[in-house]
Amino acid sequence: MKQLVVDIGNTRIKAAVFEGDILLKEFIFEDFSSFLNEFKSRDFEHAIISSVTYTEEQLLGLLDFPFLFLSYKTPLPFKNMYTTPDTLGVDRKAAVAGGRNLFQDCPILAIDLGSCITYDFMDESDRYLGGAITPGLQMRFKAMSQLTARLPLVDFESGMEPRFIGDSTVSCLRSGVFYGIQFEMRGFIREYQAQYHGLKVIICGGDSKIFESLTKDHIFVIPNLVLHGLNRILSYNVNYQ
């Protein structure tokens, strides 16, 4: 049984076709029309869509196939202990669902490095407890430029670890953002590990490969974790009905 999972973000659309838990093919689209053209021929039985830019009503008018729209009302394969479930980001739910799909019977911490950095924790009893949200890499660069009078807007040089001691304003900004995020993540991971024995940590999201140096025992970089989570949620709802 093939399933289509779609994650519509602020800038791109990520999609994948699964058969069971096996990811058959992954797609990245820069616009909605490209996504529509790819899936004109329906080669799947079930679909799920997570979106931060389109409502369910808008998508119903644009798509000619039935789909499950991920919202705060969607049944989940874990117990949601979040006190404001209607404000919980759909990508955060999908990240912990994907983490549980990979690691069973242990606490998991999913760290999603996107526009914001989200830390989401699920205990060994499948209870999602919440986590933390901090500014993402590009957001930090933009904030320092836009909220000060003289600091420039700096891009991060992908694939190159910046020098720790910056010797110019630009290199200081790169050092501050890169190592600030790295030290933040290490601090969160260390504190969770101290409180929860056997913790598995999964790092995902668009900027996850930048921080692959953190990968070691019990820490894994899986950029498409959210897609795996959406597939797990879809399978749960197909069987739930």
Side-chain angles (χ1 to χ4, degrees):
M1 179 177 67
K2 291 183 179 179
Q3 300 190 151
L4 171 66
V5 304
V6 184
D7 179 25
I8 303 177
N10 290 306
T11 57
R12 296 186 302 176
I13 299 173
K14 289 173 279 188
V17 175
F18 285 82
E19 188 156 11
D21 289 336
I22 306 300
L23 193 158
L24 300 179
K25 193 170 183 182
E26 190 173 349
F27 308 83
I28 296 178
F29 305 101
E30 299 299 328
D31 54 70
F32 197 82
S33 61
S34 300
F35 162 69
L36 288 177
N37 289 333
E38 180 65 36
F39 295 104
K40 276 183 178 178
S41 59
R42 181 179 162 184
D43 188 27
F44 51 87
E45 295 183 56
H46 304 284
I48 185 171
I49 298 180
S50 165
S51 176
V52 297
T53 54
Y54 291 88
T55 65
E56 182 176 11
E57 291 71 23
Q58 288 173 323
L59 290 170
L60 285 169
L62 292 169
L63 301 174
D64 60 359
F65 57 82
F67 58 89
L68 174 67
F69 186 79
L70 183 58
S71 73
Y72 75 95
K73 297 178 181 179
T74 306
L76 299 170
F78 55 84
K79 187 172 183 180
N80 188 359
M81 306 296 290
Y82 212 62
T83 58
T84 55
D86 56 318
T87 68
L88 178 61
V90 289
D91 52 343
R92 298 177 66 189
K93 291 185 281 192
V96 291
R100 177 57 77 222
N101 200 50
L102 297 170
F103 303 108
Q104 306 295 320
D105 304 319
C106 64
I108 57 172
L109 175 65
I111 304 175
D112 192 342
L113 291 129
S115 298
C116 288
I117 302 172
T118 56
Y119 298 81
D120 292 290
F121 176 76
M122 181 187 290
D123 68 13
E124 66 277 8
S125 300
D126 284 355
R127 296 185 309 160
Y128 171 75
L129 301 184
I133 305 173
T134 70
L137 185 143
Q138 293 300 329
M139 190 179 293
R140 297 182 192 214
F141 281 130
K142 289 178 181 178
M144 287 191 289
S145 173
Q146 294 174 5
L147 300 178
T148 63
R150 302 183 67 180
L151 290 177
L153 177 59
V154 176
D155 288 327
F156 184 79
E157 296 175 339
S158 182
M160 174 182 268
E161 189 167 307
R163 63 180 69 190
F164 182 66
I165 301 176
D167 60 1
S168 67
T169 298
V170 168
S171 59
C172 283
L173 288 167
R174 287 188 177 132
S175 175
V177 169
F178 178 85
Y179 291 104
I181 291 174
Q182 189 176 96
F183 297 152
E184 173 191 298
M185 290 170 62
R186 285 176 174 167
F188 270 107
I189 292 169
R190 185 169 57 248
E191 188 63 28
Y192 274 101
Q193 287 175 331
Q195 296 188 39
Y196 297 96
H197 177 71
L199 179 76
K200 300 290 187 183
V201 180
I202 309 104
I203 299 173
C204 64
D207 290 331
S208 58
K209 290 190 176 182
I210 295 173
F211 296 93
E212 280 186 319
S213 59
L214 289 176
T215 305
K216 54 184 179 180
D217 290 343
H218 309 301
I219 301 178
F220 307 87
V221 176
I222 304 174
N224 57 11
L225 182 69
V226 166
L227 297 178
H228 284 273
L230 289 172
N231 185 59
R232 181 179 177 88
I233 294 171
L234 177 57
S235 295
Y236 178 78
N237 279 268
V238 168
N239 296 324
Y240 182 83
Q241 295 172 351

